[in-house]
Amino acid sequence: MLSASGEYSMDEEDFRPLIELLSRTERIAILTGAGISAESGIPTFRGEEGLWKKYRAEELATPSAFSRDPKLVWEWYNWRRGLIAPVEPNQGHKILAKWEKVFPGFCLITQNIDGLHQKAGSKNIIELHGNIWKLRCVKEGTITDNRDFPLKEIPPYCPSCGELLRPHVVWFGESLNYEILHRAYGLSSSCELMFVIGTSAVVQPAASLPLMAAEVGAKVVEINPDPTPLTPYADFSFRGKAGEILPLIDKNLNRSSGA
Ligand code: APR
């Protein structure tokens, strides 16, 4: 709750209505953004020290930037892989991995390409924007896992056809994979409750998923230190960090994984 000093302080009372709701919820969807990885030390995109404050997305994260200078683009993605490789998932990631076993109809939709949800043990994940640990041949389209850091060659080439490999991520101006996007639409419009964690809710089509959920009567729960364009539409909007609020909610959850 908003305290007299304007500071948001959370006490268990604030969560009671949500806990009550969660105790009778089966189909729960989670949408995450860069904010859930912030406490693991990964910079967000639009925050204070955000990547897009320091680097020009149009020079590094577009198809034309890649065709213009694949080496520059790969140097940047190699640097980002170096940021991500040594870090561990935080409490936020871990609670969501645990909830996958607690809620029978659980699904996790992420905009993140860092692979930290998988590292925390999450299995049932939809990666809307791809994965920085996967490379794709620009000619054959084959996708391969590659966790080398640093990359052995920059830019990397396809071992079978010799063409360039690109990061298997969605760049600005590119469409999302049709099958993946429609799975996300389907899960969003069939859930009973959607958590929206650590996203500025400005990038489409991901930012529409919570509104799809709300349209079918699902409750929307936002967790973010700052308000976003989604906040007015959320049934609950908790001001705080994912790694602090999710453990508080989990502690009050009177559900077990039944394991
Ligand atoms: N816990 C929860 N939320 C946090 C935390 C935290 N510890 N720290 C920051 N945030 C919030 C910020 O307040 C901000 O609203 O996370 C949000 C991060 O927003 P962005 O940096 O815009 O990241 P995201 O919403 O994931 O960006 C969407 O844009 O750049 C593209 O493809 C990229 O997937 C990315 C997409």
Side-chain angles (χ1 to χ4, degrees):
M1 276 304 136
L2 188 61
S3 66
S5 62
E7 286 302 304
Y8 270 94
S9 63
M10 288 283 151
D11 62 48
E12 318 237 337
E13 227 11 71
D14 300 318
F15 299 113
R16 195 170 303 288
L18 174 61
I19 299 299
E20 208 278 310
L21 198 56
L22 286 169
S23 65
R24 47 191 167 81
T25 297
E26 302 291 325
R27 296 190 311 284
I28 185 172
I30 314 276
L31 175 66
T32 63
I36 197 164
S37 296
E39 291 154 89
S40 294
I42 310 281
T44 66
F45 294 95
R46 295 169 189 82
E48 275 311 300
E49 302 295 304
L51 292 171
W52 299 148
K53 292 272 167 55
K54 294 186 183 159
Y55 305 97
R56 294 164 55 80
E58 55 278 13
E59 280 170 19
L60 296 164
T62 62
S64 53
F66 188 70
S67 41
R68 214 175 25 247
D69 190 344
K71 187 165 179 300
L72 174 70
V73 171
W74 264 117
E75 274 159 359
W76 192 63
Y77 277 92
N78 188 49
W79 170 75
R80 286 182 64 191
R81 286 160 61 105
L83 280 184
I84 299 167
V87 308
E88 290 303 321
N90 60 61
Q91 271 302 312
H93 297 106
K94 293 176 183 160
I95 296 286
L96 296 180
K98 174 186 171 190
W99 284 3
E100 190 171 308
K101 302 184 193 80
V102 168
F103 294 92
F106 179 97
C107 71
L108 173 55
I109 304 166
T110 188
Q111 298 170 84
N112 300 347
I113 62 173
D114 57 29
L116 287 180
H117 283 303
Q118 290 90 332
K119 205 171 178 182
S122 288
K123 304 266 182 304
N124 182 359
I125 305 177
I126 295 180
E127 292 180 305
L128 291 174
H129 298 159
N131 187 305
I132 203 168
W133 303 112
K134 293 180 190 287
L135 310 188
R136 187 166 87 232
C137 172
V138 295
K139 182 165 168 239
E140 300 168 326
T142 36
I143 299 163
T144 47
D145 287 329
N146 177 308
R147 297 198 71 95
D148 296 346
F149 179 75
L151 283 162
K152 294 198 174 63
E153 60 173 347
I154 292 183
Y157 290 91
C158 177
S160 77
C161 75
E163 263 299 334
L164 265 175
L165 294 173
R166 58 163 283 173
H168 180 55
V169 299
V170 179
W171 282 326
F172 289 104
E174 291 187 316
S175 314
L176 276 59
N177 170 284
Y178 181 88
E179 195 269 320
I180 287 175
L181 183 56
H182 283 267
R183 269 181 62 214
Y185 284 162
L187 290 162
S188 301
S189 40
S190 62
C191 68
E192 297 165 277
L193 185 145
M194 177 180 276
F195 274 92
V196 183
I197 305 169
T199 179
S200 55
V202 295
V203 172
Q204 296 296 351
S208 303
L209 300 176
L211 303 178
M212 282 182 177
E215 231 163 70
V216 295
K219 296 294 181 203
V220 173
V221 184
E222 182 180 47
I223 299 177
N224 194 314
D226 300 324
T228 72
L230 179 71
T231 305
Y233 304 95
D235 300 279
F236 301 87
S237 190
F238 296 111
R239 292 277 87 69
K241 297 179 173 177
E244 292 165 8
I245 291 189
L246 286 168
L248 277 177
I249 296 173
D250 184 62
K251 202 174 77 188
N252 289 286
L253 261 186
N254 42 25
R255 295 179 74 123
S256 71
S257 61

